[in-house]
């Protein structure tokens, strides 16, 4: 009897509801289990992040870095130090990779421009590749 495949848990933290929905649908179609949150709700405390992480237990977090880059980069650094998120793997996305790199020195970020010929598929590919490299 074949061993059942483990369903990987992915959280999407983004500022655009249309992109959150499209990415969630694409990841679910690729076999991932998703949980989604709006960045403003996380940053303002409207969403209880500790409860969210406890409930969904994401193994990988797709985190969008919108403008202003410095503010969002600093918030990401705080999130990564949160006890409940220390074990997570992160895939970072932005719509202007060059500006982000110039502002904060970030590298290894997946550039997405929703609605262009690339975007959702690039992030799904990055998620699959990240999980494959972790095995």
């Amino acid at each position: 009897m074949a061993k059942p495949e483990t369903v990987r848990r992915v959280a999407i933290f983004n500022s655009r509801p249309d992109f959150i929905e499209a990415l969630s649908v694409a990841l679910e179609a690729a076999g991932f289990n998703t949980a989604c949150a709006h960045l403003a709700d996380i940053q303002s405390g409207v969403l209880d992040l500790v409860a969210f992480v406890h409930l969904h237990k994401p193994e990988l977090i797709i985190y969008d870095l919108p403008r202003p880059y410095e503010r969002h980069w600093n918030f990401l650094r705080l999130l990564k130090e949160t006890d409940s998120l220390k074990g997570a793997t992160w895939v970072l996305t932005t719509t202007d990779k060059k500006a982000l790199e110039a502002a904060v020195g970030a590298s290894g970020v997946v550039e997405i421009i929703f609605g262009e010929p690339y975007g959702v598929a690039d992030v799904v590919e990055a998620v699959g590749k990240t999980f494959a490299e972790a095995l």
Side-chain angles (χ1 to χ4, degrees), residues 105-120:
S107 62
V109 176
V110 177
E111 185 171 38
I112 56 160
I113 300 179
F114 188 53
E116 296 294 320
Y118 49 93
V120 171

Side-chain angles (χ1 to χ4, degrees), residues 9-20:
R9 297 176 309 277
V10 177
I12 302 167
F13 297 165
N14 198 286
S15 57
R16 294 190 48 192
D18 54 343
F19 188 76
I20 291 171

Side-chain angles (χ1 to χ4, degrees), residues 18-99:
D18 54 343
F19 188 76
I20 291 171
E21 177 65 25
L23 184 55
S24 179
V25 168
L27 286 166
E28 293 276 345
F32 298 101
N33 184 357
T34 62
C36 307
H38 196 273
L39 278 177
D41 292 342
I42 297 168
Q43 293 169 338
S44 69
V46 169
L47 175 77
D48 182 339
L49 185 61
V50 173
F52 178 93
V53 171
H54 180 72
L55 176 65
H56 299 291
K57 298 175 179 46
E59 300 167 83
L60 183 142
I61 298 169
I62 301 166
Y63 186 88
D64 182 45
L65 287 159
R67 294 177 190 265
Y69 294 124
E70 293 86 355
R71 186 183 87 185
H72 289 282
W73 183 256
N74 288 333
F75 188 74
L76 169 66
R77 291 175 55 213
L78 289 173
L79 286 178
K80 286 183 163 188
E81 290 303 314
T82 303
D83 288 341
S84 59
L85 296 175
K86 281 188 177 179
T89 300
W90 297 76
V91 170
L92 307 178
T93 62
T94 189
T95 57
D96 191 345
K97 187 176 179 178
K98 287 182 184 178

